[in-house]
Amino acid sequence: MSTRLPAWTAKLAVRIFAAIAVLHLVFLGGAFLGLDRYLEQLFDRTAAAEAETLGRVVTSALRQQMVREHETSVDAILAELAKPDSGTRIRVINRRGRVTHATDRRLVGAVLEPAGEAACAECHAAPAASRGRTRLASGADRVPVFQHVETLENEAACQRCHGSEERLNGIVLVERAAGPFQSALWTIRQRLAGTAALTMAALLGATLLLGRAFVTRPIGRLLTGVHQFGRGNLDYRIAVRGRGEIADLTTAINGMAGDLDRSLDEVRTKTAELTVVYTILERVTRSIQLTDLQLVILQTFLEVLDTDLALLVSRVPGEDALELLWLKRGLARVQTARVEAGRQALPIDVRRDCIDAWRRGDLAEPFIAPDARAAALPITGSRASALLVVERRRPFLPAEANVTLLKVIAQHAAAAYDNACLYTLAVTDPLTRLFTVRLFHEQLDELAAAWSGSGRGFALLMLDLDHFKAVNDTHGHPAGDEVLKAASGAIREAIRLTDGAYRYGGEEFSVLLPGADAAQARSTAERVRAAIERSEARLPDGTTLRVTASIGIAVCPDDGTIARDLVSAADQALYGAKRLGRNRVCQV
């Protein structure tokens, strides 16, 4: 499967990625904003605490100075705090506003006016709320500073110098520059922003990779599989990877596809079976003549079941003999043979065990060979009995040949066989087993009409046994009947299954050759003449009689296109053969 995601899953991936990106942005942004606020407050508290500590240190130094009466303790502390890089300014102011101590010695002695000094204005505006507090304010040069005010209470230790009438002796004003803290905070904020951006990019990248690996790709595989199933490719299977709901869903969809495939296979099998049955039955029930039906059965099974050989075996009425008709792939002409009861060898290589079992009455049901390369189908009706044997090199599929299927075909074929036998009995001469003259004229008219519509020609043979009256006069009419039966048998064996042989009257016969031209008609006529000449009629006393025949040929359209014209032309050719010495073939 291609690694490129379908459009549907690509859109899904974009929506999922956008939603997760927004969530990441909100939660991660909130977290970093909270951290920034916390650091800002922490820095403010730290700076304020340092300013407050410095105020208390100075206040404590003032107390020690009062107790010890030592003037240098506060100045020493302030000198230490007044380092250039400390950013700290401290002033001790008495209650009259005079600066008594300062980190900047130039300010000592200066008197501060509350209204004019920025550091004093806010406290004096609300003194009760301002004493002892630390705030962020603007210094004299408008630079942000942390400002702390520490009041100097008039304690008992101080009253020997200040007296007891005042509550406050002054204040300690500490101003610590906020720039270093704000610079450090800005640096931290920049690093936090960079960390946030990298974290956001890493999270989104991980989300994208994990989303593709665990969401969009599995869904894409599912969608591809569904599309394959929708196009009918139920053999396709979606790859199941990992565990979880999508893997379970994939397994379920694969199982559903397998079930559908099996169901469709069953439907296809049933459809194929019905197609085979319908095709065979439609062809088998199309013909009412036995010879046509036999040819249809052989051709249909050869084509529909794609067999290499189709053999039809039937019993010869009134005789202990078998009639074999077979058709092989690649051969256009049906082969025929007669096998006597005592004859062991067959003229064709076929499953002899099926034929012997059917002949003994042991094969009443359809039979399929264990290797599925051969099948036998008994066709048993009320008036007819036959056996169909089909063989091929590759095994039959279940849809092509199974017992149930063959039973259905056998039942309908037996019904068609019975109907054909009844019709054949009605149009067959009982002595010669050839068709009657009435059927001859009907089929001759049909062939003439077919030529008018399609231009397909045909040929007509008229036969007369030579010196047949002498046979009756010398040996009697029963001997003549035996001669007629031997001659008719020779005619049947010499012509094709698609040809028609008829008893025209007395010792005269006719043969219709559909699709034959003059050359083919002469070849068939010579074959018939030779077969009659070779035939023998055995009388009850052991006498053997042989006869010859004269044959006349008429071809449509060479000798005419109307039935009576063709019969007249064939009769004239027959009389010409008689005049030329008999036992020959002539054409006008």
Side-chain angles (χ1 to χ4, degrees), residues 36-50 146 178 180-186 188:
D36 177 75
R37 181 62 179 165
Y38 170 76
L39 290 174
E40 183 180 7
Q41 292 176 353
L42 177 62
F43 273 64
D44 289 349
R45 287 195 302 269
T46 301
E50 289 183 2
F146 289 101
F181 292 95
Q182 291 181 339
S183 178
L185 181 60
W186 174 248
I188 291 175

Side-chain angles (χ1 to χ4, degrees), residues 284-487:
V284 166
T285 56
R286 188 188 302 170
S287 178
I288 192 64
Q289 294 189 20
L290 184 58
T291 54
D292 292 343
L293 177 62
Q294 291 171 334
L295 178 61
V296 166
I297 289 176
L298 293 175
Q299 290 177 338
T300 299
F301 277 86
L302 196 72
E303 295 172 6
V304 175
L305 295 185
D306 194 25
T307 59
D308 299 309
L309 169 69
L311 168 69
L312 193 62
V313 183
S314 60
R315 292 184 175 91
V316 178
E319 300 181 27
D320 191 12
L322 297 178
E323 184 180 48
L324 276 62
L325 296 89
W326 67 90
L327 190 61
K328 287 186 176 182
R329 179 166 301 281
L331 297 179
R333 187 171 182 272
V334 176
Q335 306 294 315
T336 62
R338 178 188 176 99
V339 179
E340 300 297 334
R343 183 177 176 182
Q344 296 298 321
L346 295 178
I348 182 174
D349 184 16
V350 73
R351 294 186 65 98
R352 179 64 183 264
D353 54 342
C354 293
I355 298 175
D356 292 340
W358 171 76
R359 190 171 188 175
R360 294 192 306 267
D362 297 335
L363 185 62
E365 296 288 334
F367 167 78
I368 300 176
D371 59 0
R373 299 177 187 272
L377 178 65
I379 302 174
T380 305
S382 59
R383 295 181 176 273
S385 178
L387 175 68
L388 175 67
V389 180
V390 291
E391 294 182 354
R392 75 180 188 188
R393 295 183 182 88
R394 57 187 178 87
F396 290 106
L397 299 176
E400 295 175 325
N402 60 59
V403 174
T404 303
L405 175 68
L406 294 179
K407 280 184 179 180
V408 174
I409 297 174
Q411 292 172 358
H412 288 80
Y417 232 90
D418 279 344
N419 293 333
C421 286
L422 287 173
Y423 177 78
T424 301
L425 182 63
V427 297
T428 300
D429 175 65
L431 176 64
T432 61
R433 294 178 55 218
L434 300 181
F435 294 124
T436 62
V437 66
R438 179 180 177 181
L439 183 61
F440 164 74
H441 288 296
E442 289 179 0
Q443 295 191 339
L444 179 60
D445 290 338
E446 290 177 2
L447 290 174
W451 178 88
S452 299
S454 63
R456 183 171 182 262
F458 64 94
L460 165 63
L461 308 183
M462 296 296 292
L463 297 81
D464 187 79
L465 298 184
D466 298 327
H467 305 296
F468 181 73
K469 185 176 182 302
V471 174
N472 284 334
D473 293 342
T474 304
H475 302 281
H477 285 85
D481 291 344
E482 293 299 325
V483 170
L484 290 175
K485 288 194 290 184

